[in-house]
Amino acid sequence: MKKIVFLLIFLSSLSGSITGQSNHPYWLNIIYIGNSITQGVQLENPRKNAPPVKASIYLHQQQEIGEVKYSNQGVSGSTTVDFLPETGTLFGNVKEVADKFTEDTWATLLFSIMLGTNDSAIEGPNGAPVSPKTYYRNMQTIINELLRLYPECIIILHRPVWYSENTYNSSRYLKKGLKRLESYYPQLKTLVKRYSRTYPHQVFLGDTEGFEFFKENPHYFIPEEGNAETFYLHPNQEGASKLGQLWGKAIYSTIKRQ
């Protein structure tokens, strides 16, 4: 949960395009919003191996999908606070990319969001620790602004994935961060339920399997050394691919229901 400061501007603006056949009905422009996990921190080549890349490749491989354009707006150490429109920081980067994507009027603009890991920290990241109530309010503010700016967009909220209880914590704080992270999941479900009434067919719950998958398979993480011995937070190359596939499947399932 410590900020890893290297090439942030370079990595947070990663983008790409995967072209399919023009007769495929679904054309997607996807902006992935998240933290270091989305960014692909500690992967040898995030441009090829970060979860957004793998998710976009998975989507392109589906029969009904044509071109997939994407932008990786994952930034190491970021929280929901950092992406609030009023802070004037990371949301501006998202808007800049989204404004460009809207020029493709034939494509669906989609925001894929996984935030919460740094919000759940005991201390360090901006605003942490973020209570479940505040997490809900922050996510609602971000979503409301995206819907205001891009009325026809689709927003998919992924459950933050598991991390080990000793991640960047002293021994007296063990389990508190992870328990807070788990408390965000009901907030996401409540958000989606409420938006289903006010903005039907626009805000969806995305991947929910990643949390348990990584909890049961810690070998998909990069072992890191912290204040309480080895911890697990960032997926390794294979883990990033697994996470990207989970996101891709959730996005594809949502698109198919439209």
Side-chain angles (χ1 to χ4, degrees), residues 239-256:
S241 180
K242 293 286 187 181
L243 182 58
Q245 290 175 22
L246 290 172
W247 290 357
K249 289 178 181 178
I251 293 170
Y252 180 63
S253 176
T254 298
I255 293 298
K256 288 282 286 180

Side-chain angles (χ1 to χ4, degrees), residues 84-144:
L84 288 173
E86 60 264 31
T87 62
T89 52
L90 300 182
F91 190 88
N93 299 333
V94 172
K95 183 179 182 300
E96 182 178 356
V97 176
D99 287 346
K100 183 67 175 177
F101 276 172
T102 56
E103 295 176 6
D104 298 337
T105 56
W106 57 88
T108 298
L109 178 62
L110 190 149
F111 296 92
S112 168
I113 305 176
M114 191 185 82
L115 289 169
T117 301
N118 295 305
D119 297 69
S120 69
I122 302 302
E123 59 184 4
N126 188 20
V130 174
S131 70
K133 182 178 180 180
T134 302
Y135 176 81
Y136 178 98
R137 185 170 64 246
N138 290 350
M139 290 293 291
Q140 184 179 48
T141 300
I142 295 166
I143 294 168
N144 284 347

Side-chain angles (χ1 to χ4, degrees), residues 16-19 26-30 67-70 97-110 150 152:
S17 178
I18 307 172
T19 303
Y26 300 114
W27 294 65
L28 304 176
N29 287 351
I30 308 174
E67 185 177 51
V68 179
K69 289 185 180 179
Y70 65 91
V97 176
D99 287 346
K100 183 67 175 177
F101 276 172
T102 56
E103 295 176 6
D104 298 337
T105 56
W106 57 88
T108 298
L109 178 62
L110 190 149
Y150 314 104
E152 297 182 1

Side-chain angles (χ1 to χ4, degrees), residues 1-18:
M1 296 174 190
K2 290 180 179 176
K3 292 188 178 181
I4 301 176
V5 184
F6 70 97
L7 300 178
L8 280 182
I9 297 177
F10 173 73
L11 289 174
S12 65
S13 61
L14 291 181
S15 61
S17 178
I18 307 172

